[in-house]
């Protein structure tokens, strides 16, 4: 290989490497918008939720998202009920977490301030956590003991 071909090959490897790094950074710095969606109900209100079902989806959650329409949220789905704890590192939006039992009953609610590492936990084991814009539940007088409806909670 002559010097010209070697330089060209090296440049190609560098360009490919930079493109891969940019793609990784973009994937880590961008909100998850392509997750599966389902509808939940809270009395007469419909909620359009994205499902965070894998460890990676749950870990990333709503980080870096700058806005979320009021009737939308994210439902974190875990394999088995356990005490769930959430924090807001890299999360820009103020959120409320509803810790939800298998039958859709809200166990407890926690308002969470953006960009903090304060831990917000369920008061008993749950398999679901629904994050909504802060104030969404309060404005609708939805509290612990309220039952949500939707496919994940059917049959319980």
């Amino acid at each position: 290989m002559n010097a010209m071909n070697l330089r060209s090959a090296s440049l190609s490897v560098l360009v490919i490497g930079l493109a891969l790094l940019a793609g990784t950074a973009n994937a880590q710095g961008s909100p998850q918008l392509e997750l599966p969606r389902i509808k939940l109900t809270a009395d007469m209100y419909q909620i359009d939720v994205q499902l965070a079902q894998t460890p990676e989806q749950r870990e990333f959650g709503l980080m870096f998202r700058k806005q979320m329409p009021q009737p939308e949220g994210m439902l974190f789905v875990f394999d088995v009920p356990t005490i769930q704890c959430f924090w807001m590192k890299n999360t820009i939006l103020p959120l409320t977490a509803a810790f939800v039992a298998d039958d859709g009953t809200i166990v407890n609610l926690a308002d969470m301030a953006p960009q903090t590492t304060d831990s917000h936990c369920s008061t008993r084991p749950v398999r679901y956590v629904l994050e909504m814009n802060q104030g969404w539940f309060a404005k609708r007088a939805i509290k612990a003991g309220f039952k949500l409806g939707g496919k994940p909670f059917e049959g319980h």
Side-chain angles (χ1 to χ4, degrees):
M1 190 179 267
N2 65 31
M4 184 65 106
N5 287 344
L6 186 58
R7 261 190 241 123
S8 178
S10 296
L11 183 59
S12 294
V13 168
L14 179 64
V15 169
I16 290 169
L18 288 174
L20 288 172
L21 282 174
T24 301
N26 188 36
Q28 291 174 346
S30 299
Q32 310 186 86
L33 298 173
E34 301 304 319
L35 296 177
R37 291 180 178 265
I38 62 167
K39 300 280 187 203
L40 298 180
T41 57
D43 197 19
M44 65 181 169
Y45 305 103
Q46 277 217 353
I47 308 167
D48 180 27
V49 298
Q50 291 181 287
L51 296 174
Q53 302 172 92
T54 68
E56 296 80 19
Q57 292 167 345
R58 290 189 301 257
E59 183 180 330
F60 198 86
L62 291 167
M63 287 194 305
F64 305 107
R65 192 164 304 179
K66 293 180 180 157
Q67 61 184 358
M68 183 169 63
Q70 280 300 311
E72 289 189 16
M74 183 172 284
L75 184 66
F76 295 79
V77 181
F78 296 88
D79 296 330
V80 294
T82 57
I83 297 293
Q84 302 295 344
C85 294
F86 279 56
W87 64 356
M88 297 285 285
K89 184 177 179 180
N90 299 320
T91 305
I92 300 165
L93 300 171
L95 300 172
T96 300
F99 298 95
V100 184
D102 280 359
D103 69 352
T105 302
I106 296 175
V107 171
N108 63 295
L109 295 163
D111 285 340
M112 303 185 297
Q115 304 279 5
T116 62
T117 56
D118 300 340
S119 199
H120 305 277
C121 301
S122 61
T123 56
R124 66 174 210 219
V126 296
R127 204 156 57 114
Y128 302 102
V129 180
L130 174 61
E131 286 184 343
M132 298 289 290
N133 285 302
Q134 197 169 98
W136 190 91
F137 294 103
K139 287 177 188 167
R140 290 156 184 82
I142 296 172
K143 299 177 181 181
F146 189 92
K147 195 166 181 175
L148 300 173
K151 200 166 195 87
F153 317 122
E154 292 172 2
H156 292 280

